[in-house]
Amino acid sequence: MAVDPLTIKAYNDRASEFSMRYRALAPTDLQEMAGAFFHQGEPTADIGCGSGRDAAWLRDHGFPTVGYDASPEMLAHARAAYPNLEFHLDSLPDLATISPGSYSNVLCCAVLMHIRREDLITAALALARVLKPGGRLLLTYRHSQGQDEREPDGRLFTAIPSGKLILLLESAGFRVVMST
């Protein structure tokens, strides 16, 4: 299993455009949350690292970070922009190459919505599996900007109401401490 194939194709086809756009943004809210909640100096995974922007910020702020993404083209751009960072091809829902308990911190920024509805529980369990006991997950997602769950470029945006997302995470063993 992997991220929705049409979504991967969209990111592969538009990797240059997406990488430039994402690196031009400074997600200060996300950075503040990571800085406040992540375990400083502890192993950190950026699941769905895309352009590498967040993995680089985390590393530069004291979180030894490894990035993972489903798109080979996005990974190529991340490696070119941040050659001193480690990036691997892997994806939700399985995170098959990551050993259990590998990370104290996991960032999963704008990825979960690209998972098919029937794979969401597997994805939540995989996120829980790769975290060490007491580890922290920072997860963000957004809804499609179109009329349905598939955007014109083919990317899947599975709708996940916030209450159902909290229940999903709690059923996978997470304790949700904040939701905005």
Side-chain angles (χ1 to χ4, degrees):
M1 283 189 275
V3 171
D4 175 69
L6 291 175
T7 301
I8 295 171
K9 180 180 180 340
Y11 281 109
N12 281 335
D13 291 348
R14 298 174 59 199
S16 291
E17 173 191 343
F18 283 131
S19 292
M20 286 189 317
R21 183 185 328 157
Y22 297 152
R23 281 197 298 270
L25 299 172
T28 55
D29 290 347
L30 177 74
Q31 294 166 350
E32 287 175 13
M33 291 279 252
F37 290 107
F38 276 1
H39 298 288
Q40 188 73 33
E42 293 291 322
T44 302
D46 182 357
I47 306 298
C49 64
S51 69
R53 174 199 68 196
D54 297 334
W57 184 90
L58 286 163
R59 185 236 12 232
D60 292 346
H61 288 83
F63 303 98
T65 303
V66 177
Y68 297 88
D69 203 90
S71 165
E73 294 299 321
M74 292 296 290
L75 285 171
H77 284 272
R79 289 179 179 124
Y82 308 104
N84 295 324
L85 276 170
E86 185 178 343
F87 295 102
H88 299 282
L89 183 67
D90 201 349
S91 67
L92 289 170
D94 297 320
L95 300 175
T97 66
I98 305 176
S99 298
S102 295
Y103 295 102
S104 297
N105 308 302
V106 170
L107 175 64
C108 187
C109 181
V111 176
L112 202 59
M113 71 269 187
H114 294 319
I115 304 300
R116 295 178 305 235
R117 188 171 316 285
E118 61 268 20
D119 294 329
L120 287 172
I121 190 66
T122 302
L125 290 169
L127 290 168
R129 178 183 56 78
V130 303
L131 275 169
K132 293 179 180 182
R136 307 244 167 102
L137 169 68
L138 177 55
L139 183 139
T140 71
Y141 73 99
R142 77 170 180 86
H143 297 285
S144 174
Q145 296 177 353
Q147 295 295 331
D148 59 24
E149 291 185 341
R150 187 76 61 186
E151 296 216 341
D153 66 3
R155 290 179 297 157
L156 176 68
F157 282 81
T158 300
I160 313 167
S162 59
K164 287 187 178 185
L165 178 58
I166 290 170
L167 288 173
L168 173 70
L169 294 171
E170 288 176 344
S171 72
F174 288 100
R175 183 172 57 93
V176 178
V177 296
M178 183 178 198
S179 173
T180 59

